[in-house]
């Protein structure tokens, strides 16, 4: 396990996770909340996992693991890391509905931000959410994100163009003075 919290930990994904991840990513609701839209084969998911080591330090992906049952609950990651600017984009999903609204994403997000700021020495993490994704926006607020703006009519999702809200987390002490 890489990053250990009270209820969940962030660990590395393995080939054993392929079937679970393939099931989750092909769920219809993922196309409502994430920008992924192509059907995903297990073979592609396997290849994606196998390539994760070579994508660091530009992308870091962790499995969110239940400390008690050791089961995979979802994924969280830092993407498009720019060391020069101290910047990254965060992404998260909790795969099964019954594991949501229990504080899992909050603790996973806290662990991810701590890793971003205290280990990778990043300064700012961006959290983008579709404007209709109340859960993602609530999660951002809970984790201390501030809204920076809205990209209007930005992405074509399930038959309509949706707004995308941009929120950000600054490392404590690095907040802009405005
Ligand atoms: C967004 C997501 C990761 C949140 O995960 P979660 O484990 O349910 O979040 P938490 O339980 O830690 O809740 C965090 C906050 O969001 C609130 N929240 C969670 N789901 C919510 C919902 N559907 N509507 C409104 N608020 C919600 C919680 O109440 C909590 O705030 P509070 O403590 O002030 O009440 C989860 O809903 C998910 O995986 N959704 C599908 C994929 C997705 O949208 N990913 C994000 C893309 S940007």
């Amino acid at each position: 396990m890489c990053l250990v919290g009270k209820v969940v930990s962030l660990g590395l994904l393995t080939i054993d996770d392929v079937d679970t991840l393939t099931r989750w990513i092909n769920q219809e609701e993922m196309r409502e909340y994430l920008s992924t839209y192509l059907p995903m084969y297990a073979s592609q998911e396997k290849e994606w996992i196998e390539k994760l080591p070579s994508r660091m330090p530009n992308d870091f992906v962790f499995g969110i693991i239940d400390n008690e049952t050791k089961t995979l609950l979802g994924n969280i990651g830092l993407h498009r890391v720019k060391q020069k600017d101290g910047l990254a984009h965060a992404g998260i999903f909790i795969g099964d509905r019954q594991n949501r609204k229990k504080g899992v994403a909050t603790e996973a997000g806290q662990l991810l931000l701590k890793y971003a700021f205290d280990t990778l020495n990043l300064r700012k993490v961006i959290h983008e959410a579709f404007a209709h994704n109340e859960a993602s926006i609530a999660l951002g607020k809970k984790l201390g994100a501030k809204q920076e703006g809205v990209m209007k009519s930005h992405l074509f999702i399930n038959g309509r163009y949706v707004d995308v809200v941009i929120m950000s987390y600054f490392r404590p002490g690095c907040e802009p003075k405005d």
Side-chain angles (χ1 to χ4, degrees):
M1 216 60 70
C2 290
L3 304 156
V4 182
K6 287 196 180 103
V7 178
V8 295
S9 296
L10 307 189
L12 300 180
L13 293 170
T14 74
I15 297 302
D16 292 343
D17 300 318
V18 166
D19 289 345
T20 306
L21 291 174
T22 307
R23 177 170 63 81
W24 284 340
I25 208 68
N26 285 309
Q27 289 176 129
E28 186 168 9
E29 70 156 2
M30 290 299 176
R31 293 196 294 283
E32 181 66 12
Y33 297 125
L34 303 178
S35 47
T36 175
Y37 64 96
L38 294 173
M40 188 72 73
Y41 285 87
S43 57
Q44 293 172 296
E45 200 65 50
K46 179 170 176 281
E47 195 183 336
W48 177 76
I49 291 177
E50 284 170 344
K51 285 189 175 154
L52 288 177
S54 65
R55 288 173 50 188
M56 292 188 290
N58 298 321
D59 286 285
F60 295 83
V61 177
F62 299 104
I64 303 171
I65 296 153
D66 186 311
N67 285 347
E68 211 174 286
T69 62
K70 310 292 177 209
T71 50
L72 187 67
L73 301 175
N75 277 3
I76 191 166
L78 292 166
H79 307 282
R80 290 179 273 161
V81 175
K82 289 185 184 166
Q83 280 297 340
K84 174 178 80 65
D85 304 308
L87 186 66
H89 288 68
I92 185 169
F93 72 77
I94 307 302
D96 291 321
R97 276 183 169 270
Q98 74 265 20
N99 293 322
R100 296 187 192 154
K101 291 194 176 178
K102 292 180 175 172
V104 167
T106 300
E107 190 175 38
Q110 288 164 344
L111 292 168
L112 187 81
L113 290 172
K114 186 169 168 35
Y115 182 69
F117 298 144
D118 293 355
T119 300
L120 300 179
N121 199 18
L122 299 180
R123 188 182 59 91
K124 179 178 182 181
V125 174
I126 304 283
H127 174 145
E128 287 180 3
F130 300 164
H132 60 272
N133 192 344
E134 291 175 19
S136 182
I137 290 170
L139 172 65
K141 283 185 187 152
K142 175 116 197 218
L143 288 170
K146 298 271 184 327
Q147 185 171 320
E148 294 207 353
V150 177
M151 293 186 284
K152 302 297 285 183
S153 192
H154 194 63
L155 294 178
F156 187 68
I157 303 292
N158 277 341
R160 81 283 198 207
Y161 287 93
V162 303
D163 294 349
V164 176
V165 176
I166 306 170
M167 295 170 279
S168 65
Y169 312 91
F170 277 93
R171 184 164 79 200
C174 293
E175 299 90 351
K177 297 182 189 69
D178 52 11

